[in-house]
């Protein structure tokens, strides 16, 4: 991406001859993002180059986002809303002369973002924010949302993709992956167990991780961002993604696996924050699904990273050759740690849920 290309995009969204400055933001595996200050408008924007190989129907993604923000805008939703900028022709996507696709969101002033949470108060506030989003989306007819990524949280489908990748992988990658495949296999039955739960579908964020939260200096969540994958799913999908990304004190690609583990205080705070926002609304079977759902989401992420490693890194960008294998290994280590503490997780969930029902 050169400056002339970004200038073309800025002209399209904000009119010709804008004076602007920008820097690239290193956040997210899928799209590429720039912070752009449009000086003549005295406003900042997040400008994104849209990844069409992941989201092959970009208009459906934008359609979902518009449905969701329109719903939230007239409800009791206390955070900023990522409303996409419209072009003069009313569209929210711009195709530049190099055939790349772009969109723009308002920039929300915030003090920090983070990929890991080490403070229980932050875990509480983060889970409360994702819970609030989930709760406020209740009632939005799911028929108004399109399945932008079919089978996104379909664990059995993810496992069968891994099986296919194993049969097609190059020998060297397969050998490297083998020990981790052996360690993850015992958990595959979780897919069947979770498939049997028959829970109501809720409108989930589906990427409920700290990197999708913006914070102010008082530890309050300014905004939940990245509405690309908002789709109906069982509630454990969002709870599970939070567990996956909150409870371990290190990033998902940390290679010192000794550091990967479950900070039980963080889990406790996360659970309390989540029930603070959703308590009394969730059904008992949903509450009972949360612990195994969390294990399921960690398993799913491990399977996705492992599949991508075996498929020679088609999906997730990598910084070194075994990056996806290391990400998978990290997630398998976390899965084992969570599984060891399953009884504690269940007890904490039960207590927390009881508390909100009183
Ligand atoms: C991807 O791009 P980003 O970081 O928001 C992925 C999620 C994964 C996550 C792992 C559309 O999200 O599903 O859980 O990486 N998004 C997509 O960090 O595949
Ligand atoms: Mg995302």
């Amino acid at each position: 991406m050169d400056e002339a290309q970004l200038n073309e995009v800025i002209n399209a969204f904000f009119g010709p001859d804008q004076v602007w400055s920008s820097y690239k933001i290193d956040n997210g595996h899928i799209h590429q993002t720039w912070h752009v200050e449009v000086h003549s408008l005295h406003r900042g924007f997040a400008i994104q180059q849209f990844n069409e190989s992941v989201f092959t129907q970009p208009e459906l993604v934008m359609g979902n986002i518009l449905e969701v923000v329109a719903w939230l805008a007239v409800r009791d939703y206390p955070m900023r809303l990522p409303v996409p900028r419209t072009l003069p022709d009313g569209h929210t996507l711009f195709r530049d002369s190099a055939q790349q696709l772009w969109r723009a969101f308002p920039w929300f002033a915030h003090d920090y973002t983070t990929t890991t949470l080490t403070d229980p108060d932050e875990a509480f506030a983060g889970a409360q924010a994702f819970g609030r989003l989930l709760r406020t989306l209740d009632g939005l007819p799911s028929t108004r949302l399109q399945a932008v990524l079919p089978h996104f949280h379909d664990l059995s489908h993810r496992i069968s993709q891994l099986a296919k990748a194993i049969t097609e992988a190059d020998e060297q990658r397969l050998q490297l992956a083998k020990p981790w495949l052996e360690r993850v296999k015992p958990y595959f039955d979780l897919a069947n167990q979770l498939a049997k739960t028959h829970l109501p579908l809720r409108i989930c964020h589906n990427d409920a991780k700290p990197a999708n939260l913006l914070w102010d200096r008082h530890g309050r969540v300014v905004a939940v961002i990245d509405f690309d994958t908002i789709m109906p799913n069982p509630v454990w999908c969002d709870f599970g993604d939070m567990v996956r990304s909150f409870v371990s004190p290190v990033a998902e690609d940390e290679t010192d696996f000794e550091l990967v583990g479950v900070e039980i205080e963080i889990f406790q705070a996360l659970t309390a924050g989540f029930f603070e926002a959703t308590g009394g609304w969730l059904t008992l079977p949903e509450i009972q699904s949360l612990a195994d759902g969390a294990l399921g989401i960690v398993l799913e992420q491990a399977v996705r990273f492992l599949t991508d490693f075996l498929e020679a890194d088609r999906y997730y960008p990598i910084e070194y050759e075994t990056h996806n294998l290391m990400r998978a290994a990290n997630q398998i280590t976390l899965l084992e740690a969570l599984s060891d503490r399953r009884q504690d997780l269940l007890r904490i969930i039960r207590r927390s849920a009881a508390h909100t029902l009183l």
Side-chain angles (χ1 to χ4, degrees):
M1 206 285 310
D2 58 22
E3 214 164 284
Q5 194 180 7
L6 201 47
N7 197 48
E8 187 188 347
V9 177
I10 289 164
N11 284 349
F13 277 105
F14 309 108
D17 306 321
Q18 297 294 343
V19 182
W20 55 272
S21 53
S22 74
Y23 58 86
K24 179 126 199 273
I25 296 171
D26 221 13
N27 177 5
H29 295 306
I30 308 297
H31 310 295
Q32 298 204 62
T33 310
W34 285 263
H35 170 249
V36 173
E37 194 64 37
V38 184
H39 298 292
S40 25
L41 296 178
H42 306 285
R43 281 168 67 190
F45 297 89
I47 308 275
Q48 272 187 330
Q49 190 182 323
F50 193 95
N51 185 330
E52 285 180 86
S53 51
V54 167
F55 293 101
T56 53
Q57 292 178 288
E59 311 74 31
L60 299 190
V61 175
M62 299 316 286
N64 281 1
I65 294 175
L66 290 172
E67 287 288 349
V68 167
V69 296
W71 178 269
L72 295 173
V74 293
R75 283 176 174 78
D76 181 19
Y77 181 75
M79 294 167 283
R80 306 296 305 271
L81 279 175
V83 181
R85 174 95 180 177
T86 41
L87 293 156
D89 67 4
H91 287 98
T92 53
L93 290 165
F94 170 67
R95 195 170 292 283
D96 69 14
S97 46
Q99 294 312 308
Q100 263 150 1
L101 207 55
W102 298 82
R103 62 183 178 176
F105 293 101
W107 183 262
F108 302 134
H110 62 280
D111 294 302
Y112 67 100
T113 55
T114 172
T115 50
T116 52
L117 297 179
T118 46
D119 176 355
D121 290 340
E122 281 178 338
F124 184 95
Q128 191 183 29
F130 281 118
R132 192 77 186 250
L133 173 65
L134 188 78
R135 179 75 184 87
T136 314
L137 286 173
D138 185 37
L140 170 62
S142 53
T143 47
R144 285 204 216 151
L145 300 179
Q146 310 288 329
V148 289
L149 295 172
H151 300 297
F152 192 62
H153 279 314
D154 178 344
L155 205 36
S156 305
H157 176 75
R158 298 287 188 186
I159 291 170
S160 59
Q161 284 185 318
L162 174 61
K164 181 166 169 280
I166 291 170
T167 63
E168 293 168 4
D170 96 23
E171 187 53 31
Q172 203 193 349
R173 283 189 185 245
L174 191 57
Q175 284 312 320
L176 287 170
K178 260 207 172 125
W180 294 104
L181 281 165
E182 289 309 315
R183 273 169 74 168
V184 76
K185 257 192 225 158
Y187 297 93
F188 284 179
D189 191 46
L190 260 173
N192 301 324
Q193 284 172 36
L194 287 166
K196 276 190 227 140
T197 49
H198 301 299
L199 298 171
L201 297 184
R202 308 293 194 181
I203 315 275
C204 292
H205 180 278
N206 290 311
D207 196 9
K209 60 180 183 181
N212 286 329
L213 298 171
L214 307 181
W215 301 84
D216 73 10
R217 75 179 74 86
H218 308 293
R220 288 183 299 231
V221 177
V222 176
V224 177
I225 56 167
D226 187 0
F227 284 9
D228 287 349
T229 48
I230 292 195
M231 285 176 288
N233 259 321
V235 69
W236 50 260
C237 290
D238 274 359
F239 184 81
D241 248 329
M242 287 192 278
V243 173
R244 183 185 83 75
S245 58
F246 286 23
V247 303
S248 179
V250 291
E252 68 187 17
D253 63 353
E254 172 63 54
T255 53
D256 182 350
F257 305 132
E258 299 258 309
L259 302 176
V260 175
V262 182
E263 296 290 334
I264 210 75
E265 260 187 55
I266 296 282
F267 179 81
Q268 226 151 10
L270 175 180
T271 306
F274 186 66
F275 280 122
E276 212 281 322
T278 61
W281 170 64
L282 296 178
T283 63
L284 194 57
E286 283 179 304
I287 294 168
Q288 287 164 337
S289 76
L290 294 177
D292 286 340
L295 266 66
I297 287 289
V298 180
L299 168 64
E300 178 188 300
Q301 195 64 60
V303 166
R304 289 178 67 188
F305 286 144
L306 212 42
T307 306
D308 203 35
F309 175 71
L310 292 172
E311 290 181 339
D313 317 306
R314 284 192 218 155
Y315 194 90
Y316 290 106
I318 50 160
E319 281 157 24
Y320 56 94
E321 222 188 326
T322 55
H323 202 162
N324 272 318
L325 181 63
M326 291 301 110
R327 287 170 174 146
N330 173 308
Q331 298 292 288
I332 293 165
T333 309
L334 178 59
L335 176 58
E336 292 169 344
L338 282 166
S339 176
D340 287 347
R341 311 257 349 217
R342 186 171 174 274
Q343 290 308 323
D344 294 325
L345 306 186
L346 285 168
R347 182 176 44 79
I348 291 166
I349 290 169
R350 260 199 307 270
R351 272 204 199 149
S352 216
H355 205 71
T356 57
L357 293 172
L358 291 175

